[in-house]
Amino acid sequence: MSIQSNLNTVKASLPENVTLVAVSKTKPVSDLIQAYEAGQRIFGENKIQEMTEKWEQMPKDIQWHMIGHVQSNKVKFMAPFVSLIHGVDSLKLLQEINKQALKNNRTIDCLLQIYIAEEESKFGLDENELNELLTSVEFKELKNIRILGLMGMATFTEDQNQIKKEFTHLKSIFDSLKNIDGYGKDALQCVSTISMGMSGDYQLAIECGSTMVRIGSSIFGGR
Ligand SMILES: *Cc1c(COP(=O)(O)O)cnc(C)c1O
């Protein structure tokens, strides 16, 4: 199957309110161009250097999403162009993103990554850490970042009930955001995104309330 037909099949399976991030990590620019020519404008990468190289080579009307774990010392390389950073999991990282956004005279949109899986290897905040972060004085001082919502990754398992439980957990944390004291109404206006669901579990993620799916192998083939 071609990238174009894969893309069309995936798109046809998504409700209108769900945004597709085409995850192009490890794939050559020629593959991305095929998706671009089929109309795709949002691409997800998990390494800053690779994303920057692709950004340099590709048309400039693409929105680049950083979906991987971000090291603070590399934020500066993507700060001029990144459209959304999915995996933000600390105040320290937010402060660095804010600093680099300011240097580039822009506001950078972020999702806070929540730890929902039963795997040691996955990153993210727990519910208490999230509340602490959002109500901290330091957070309120960050004027060049905007929190659009939450991101999570389910456990890599065949157990659909387990995955469903984890996605439902993320949705409930998302829904509780509006109850956090001190987290300003202004900031809340932007919170509308739940990034959850990959090739293997995006249908389930959408049933559980996902508004943004990150799909790689179903579009570009295995890695
Ligand atoms: C690679 C990756 C994806 C896409 O995974 P597929 O199974 O290829 O769809 C989604 N999210 C994150 C964070 C990833 O690293």
Side-chain angles (χ1 to χ4, degrees):
M1 290 293 263
S2 71
I3 289 170
Q4 176 170 12
S5 63
N6 289 343
L7 186 63
N8 288 337
T9 304
V10 168
K11 279 204 289 204
S13 71
L14 300 179
E16 241 172 60
N17 67 317
V18 174
T19 301
L20 171 63
V21 179
V23 175
S24 49
K25 63 188 185 195
T26 78
K27 298 296 178 182
V29 164
S30 56
D31 283 8
L32 279 70
I33 292 284
Q34 287 185 47
Y36 180 87
E37 284 176 348
Q40 185 62 24
R41 291 294 180 273
I42 304 178
F43 290 85
E45 291 282 336
N46 71 339
K47 296 214 165 64
I48 292 174
Q49 185 177 341
E50 183 177 339
M51 183 170 78
T52 305
E53 285 166 7
K54 286 171 174 171
W55 166 68
E56 283 165 355
Q57 296 174 55
M58 298 278 297
K60 291 296 170 282
D61 61 342
I62 290 172
Q63 295 174 36
W64 293 97
H65 287 201
M66 174 44 58
I67 62 168
H69 188 66
V70 176
Q71 288 171 273
S72 291
N73 62 349
K74 293 191 177 153
V75 171
K76 56 178 176 286
F77 300 117
M78 64 175 168
F81 70 91
V82 68
S83 165
L84 180 63
I85 304 175
H86 288 234
V88 180
D89 63 354
S90 72
L91 178 63
K92 179 174 157 272
L93 180 56
L94 266 183
Q95 287 170 324
E96 176 62 15
I97 295 168
N98 186 74
K99 181 176 148 192
Q100 297 300 334
L102 186 61
K103 271 192 187 167
N104 286 276
N105 197 19
R106 59 185 297 241
T107 300
I108 295 181
D109 289 338
C110 299
L111 302 177
L112 295 172
Q113 183 168 358
I114 307 299
Y115 181 85
I116 54 171
E118 282 186 351
E119 283 167 16
E120 286 294 329
S121 61
K122 299 234 161 82
F123 296 98
L125 302 158
D126 67 25
E127 208 167 348
N128 288 333
E129 291 166 335
L130 173 70
N131 290 7
E132 247 174 62
L133 194 161
L134 291 178
T135 54
S136 68
V137 177
E138 292 91 340
F139 174 71
K140 292 203 181 77
E141 286 167 356
L142 306 178
K143 303 295 184 210
N144 288 69
I145 52 118
R146 198 165 59 155
I147 304 297
L148 295 196
L150 304 179
M151 178 268 208
M153 286 175 85
T155 304
F156 188 70
T157 171
E158 293 290 311
D159 184 348
Q160 297 297 301
N161 286 328
Q162 173 75 22
I163 298 171
K164 189 172 180 180
K165 199 178 83 190
E166 293 172 2
F167 284 152
T168 304
H169 183 208
L170 183 59
K171 172 72 160 90
S172 76
I173 295 175
F174 176 84
D175 289 339
S176 73
L177 277 180
K178 51 181 170 296
N179 301 323
I180 296 178
D181 281 343
Y183 183 46
K185 285 210 173 63
D186 289 354
L188 258 182
Q189 285 182 345
C190 307
V191 173
S192 59
T193 301
I194 310 180
S195 167
M196 60 183 187
M198 320 190 349
S199 291
D201 58 18
Y202 76 90
Q203 306 280 13
L204 190 51
I206 290 168
E207 281 172 34
C208 297
S210 172
T211 68
M212 185 174 276
V213 290
R214 310 175 308 268
I215 299 181
S217 43
S218 291
I219 297 171
F220 295 104
R223 289 178 298 271

